[in-house]
Amino acid sequence: MIKARTAKFQIGQVVRHRIFSFRGVIFDIDPEFNNTEEWWLSIPEEVRPNKDQPFYHLLAENAESEYVAYVSEQNLLPDDSGEPVRHSQVAEIFIKDKAGGYRPRNSSLN
C-alpha cells in the first residue's frame, strides 16, 4: 500500500530542480504520483523517482524556454535567489506580494 506524505513545499513557492537546470513556481500539488504509467516509465530507471511522495506541478523555466513541469519532491530544492519567475502564466495564477513571493489569485485553486 502506498502511503502519502505531507508536502514539503507549498503552492506559490519558487523551487529548482536538484539535477536539471530549471526552476519554477508551484501551482498544484499531488500528494502522490498522479500521472500516466507511460510518463513514469519514460524516466530512466536509474533516476526514476518513487511514486509514494508528493509531486509538484510547476510553471517552469530554463535558459531557453518556459513550460509546465511535473516533478517529484525528492528532486526539488527551494530557490532562494529572489529572481522572479518569467513564465508567461505566472500573472494569470499568482499575485506577487511585497516580499517578492507568489500568492494564488484564486484561493480555491488546488
Side-chain angles (χ1 to χ4, degrees):
M1 180 172 176
I2 294 176
K3 184 176 184 212
R5 298 186 322 199
T6 302
K8 179 178 177 181
F9 304 107
Q10 61 188 352
I11 291 176
Q13 187 170 357
V14 179
V15 293
R16 63 183 173 87
H17 197 280
R18 182 182 301 276
I19 300 167
F20 301 111
S21 184
F22 72 86
R23 62 192 288 271
V25 60
I26 298 168
F27 70 90
D28 198 10
I29 304 168
D30 293 335
E32 60 188 36
F33 180 79
N34 190 23
N35 205 331
T36 66
E37 192 69 11
E38 179 182 38
W39 182 91
W40 190 72
L41 291 173
S42 73
I43 300 168
E45 192 171 351
E46 62 275 7
V47 295
R48 192 177 297 151
N50 293 326
K51 291 182 178 181
D52 64 343
Q53 63 181 309
F55 276 72
Y56 299 83
H57 299 261
L58 308 179
L59 296 177
E61 63 188 29
N62 60 27
E64 294 84 38
S65 64
E66 302 168 1
Y67 50 95
V68 172
Y70 190 64
V71 186
S72 64
E73 186 170 271
Q74 75 186 54
N75 284 320
L76 290 177
L77 297 169
D79 181 310
D80 299 323
S81 69
E83 293 291 318
V85 176
R86 71 174 190 274
H87 194 287
S88 61
Q89 290 180 284
V90 168
E92 294 173 31
I93 299 174
F94 295 102
I95 296 170
K96 195 159 182 158
D97 64 26
K98 291 179 182 176
Y102 295 96
R103 262 183 320 111
R105 283 188 176 277
N106 179 350
S107 60
S108 68
L109 281 178
N110 195 24

